Amino acid sequence: MKAILVICSTLLSLSLFSQSGYKIGDKAEDFSLRNVNEKFVSLSDYPDSKGFIVMFICNHCPYVVAYEDRIIAIDKKYSALGYPVIAINPNDPEVQPGDSFEKMQEKAKDKQYTFPYLFDEKQDVYPKYGATKTPHVYVLQKNKNDLIVKYIGTIDDNFADATKVKKRYLENAIDALLSGKEPNPSSTKAIGCTIKKK
Amino acid sequence: MKKKLSVSFSLLLIACVIFTHKNMSAQIIGINELKPLLSLQSDSTYIINFWATWCGPCVKELPHFEEIGKKYTNEKLSIIYVSLDLERQYQTVLLPFIEKHNLSHKVLLLNEPDPNSWIDTVDPVWQGSIPATLIYNDTKRAFYEKPFDFNTLDSTVSTFFINQ
């Protein structure tokens, strides 16, 4: 009996320590989220894409703001190659009023976003992915009917200055996938803003 | 000879960081100067808080660290605020902020690109969001990737004094 208790508590604490959310190689679920144009968007709306660049971003976080132009450039380049950006705001506007749906609409209009900017209103998509901050990027690659997670992490190695970027982590990952290779590194970390939970 | 000089310099810097009581100004450091501060061998408890002036939840919890410093003034406790503000805003933003908010503990601006190369050095559990706080002494070490309210910070910090 004592042994069972020890084993159970060990397993429980191990599961608490391990990161929840998708790992490289996992199958990603689709979703249906409201876009800034009021229409609902799902990944199944893109039957011809090779995959997706799912990005958890928001309106207010300075780390996201610093990357906005780079995100637009990445969408322009890679949607043509089969990997469109799908941006999702995971934050609760009651905690962070700057991240309300109306503010998302303003942002998308001001910056002329070329990609869907979706609202994770029920906050049930970002926990499935395991996003912990903004920005947090997940590259999905289609494999028959499945969406496989191939890269998790950040966009590049210098949020503050686009001219000083040395490692284009995200672009390198997508380029690898486009040439039939595995991204390396397949996961990276960066500083970002916490996700504002209800 | 070069290696000995840089080791001596690092030790001198660490000594200055730890033993300066009044907050004159922030120092700008790189990851090589931060690393030794993450595992100092002494009978003190160290609180290393990662924050930035533009980070709302970070700014909100700073007074709690100040209160903790005052509350545990009889314990061996060192608090270090590691700012992730931009180096180019050191004069214009960080220094005025420190003065305005009366931060009485050491502030270090970590100026090191490519966080992917050093986040795990601070703690492999850290996913990169701020605020985040490392608390350690020679019997206990833990990393908290979350903001603290005063009571939670107080009860957390007091667990580090139990075996001291």
Side-chain angles (χ1 to χ4, degrees):
Chain A
M1 182 59 193
K2 211 176 178 181
I4 295 170
L5 279 174
V6 169
I7 293 166
C8 284
S9 56
T10 310
L11 286 173
L12 180 64
S13 48
L14 279 175
S15 69
L16 287 174
F17 276 121
S18 68
Q19 281 310 117
S20 60
Y22 296 143
K23 302 206 174 20
I24 302 297
D26 282 354
K27 288 182 197 171
E29 275 179 46
D30 200 352
F31 45 72
S32 175
L33 295 176
R34 191 162 53 126
N35 193 4
V36 285
N37 65 1
E38 305 281 1
K39 295 191 163 68
F40 279 76
V41 170
S42 296
L43 300 178
S44 56
D45 298 338
Y46 298 79
D48 298 332
S49 76
K50 294 183 179 161
F52 300 95
I53 309 171
V54 177
M55 282 200 187
F56 291 92
I57 63 171
C58 62
N59 306 327
H60 85 285
C61 173
Y63 283 104
V64 175
V65 171
Y67 273 115
E68 280 164 359
D69 291 342
R70 283 176 261 184
I71 294 170
I72 294 167
I74 283 170
D75 181 59
K76 284 182 176 164
K77 179 175 175 185
Y78 289 101
S79 55
L81 297 171
Y83 282 86
V85 166
I86 308 284
I88 301 175
N89 169 22
N91 288 338
D92 176 24
E94 274 173 45
V95 176
Q96 176 58 260
D99 289 329
S100 68
F101 186 72
E102 293 68 33
K103 292 279 181 196
M104 285 173 64
Q105 291 174 311
E106 268 175 46
K107 171 71 73 173
K109 191 178 174 193
D110 289 342
K111 294 297 299 184
Q112 296 180 295
Y113 277 169
T114 53
F115 44 83
Y117 188 17
L118 313 177
F119 188 31
D120 187 8
E121 200 158 8
K122 293 178 191 161
Q123 292 195 317
D124 58 6
V125 173
Y126 90 80
K128 283 197 187 128
Y129 276 75
T132 51
K133 60 193 180 289
T134 53
H136 204 154
V137 185
Y138 293 77
V139 178
L140 313 179
Q141 185 184 47
K142 283 188 188 175
N143 185 350
K144 297 185 181 110
N145 292 325
D146 295 326
L147 291 163
I148 310 294
V149 178
K150 290 303 225 178
Y151 172 83
I152 300 173
T154 189
I155 295 164
D156 59 42
D157 66 350
N158 200 319
F159 92 95
D161 193 338
T163 65
K164 294 200 171 128
V165 168
K166 292 191 180 140
K167 295 174 191 165
R168 296 177 197 283
Y169 294 122
L170 173 60
E171 292 187 64
N172 291 344
I174 305 168
D175 289 343
L177 293 173
L178 286 167
S179 35
K181 299 194 183 101
E182 295 301 311
N184 184 13
S186 58
S187 69
T188 55
K189 285 181 177 178
I191 305 294
C193 308
T194 51
I195 289 180
K196 310 298 182 270
K197 261 169 119 154
K198 281 192 212 298
Chain B
M1 180 60 186
K2 227 180 179 176
K3 202 173 180 184
K4 266 190 181 169
L5 274 174
S6 66
V7 168
S8 310
F9 176 74
S10 300
L11 287 170
L12 187 63
L13 178 64
I14 291 161
C16 289
V17 165
I18 298 304
F19 299 116
T20 305
H21 295 289
K22 203 172 175 187
N23 202 356
M24 307 290 232
S25 67
Q27 283 167 317
I28 300 175
I29 60 165
I31 191 65
N32 289 334
E33 286 85 45
L34 180 67
K35 261 191 218 168
L37 302 179
L38 306 175
S39 55
L40 292 164
Q41 306 288 323
S42 81
D43 55 359
S44 276
T45 296
Y46 297 93
I47 298 178
I48 320 274
N49 175 249
F50 293 86
W51 69 292
T53 58
W54 48 257
C55 161
C58 302
V59 171
K60 197 174 173 190
E61 67 169 16
L62 288 174
H64 304 326
F65 289 96
E66 291 289 315
E67 285 164 55
I68 287 291
K70 289 187 187 117
K71 180 174 180 179
Y72 293 105
T73 196
N74 293 327
E75 303 283 349
K76 286 187 177 165
L77 175 66
S78 274
I79 298 174
I80 303 175
Y81 299 118
V82 179
S83 154
L84 298 173
D85 282 284
L86 297 174
E87 197 242 342
R88 61 178 181 256
Q89 293 184 314
Y90 169 78
Q91 292 278 10
T92 52
V93 176
L94 185 60
L95 294 186
F97 184 96
I98 293 167
E99 201 175 318
K100 182 182 175 190
H101 292 260
N102 290 318
L103 297 184
S104 63
H105 301 279
K106 184 46 96 182
V107 180
L108 301 173
L109 189 156
L110 178 62
N111 182 36
E112 186 73 51
D114 196 13
N116 185 57
S117 68
W118 52 259
I119 284 175
D120 281 353
T121 303
V122 173
D123 198 297
V125 135
W126 192 13
Q127 295 303 303
S129 71
I130 54 173
T133 306
L134 170 67
I135 307 180
Y136 75 92
N137 57 29
D138 56 10
T139 55
K140 184 174 171 170
R141 184 186 192 87
F143 192 80
Y144 306 91
E145 187 166 1
K146 62 175 188 177
F148 276 110
D149 59 74
F150 179 77
N151 290 333
T152 311
L153 181 61
D154 192 12
S155 55
T156 304
V157 170
S158 60
T159 64
F160 284 80
F161 296 134
I162 286 168
N163 295 321
Q164 290 302 100

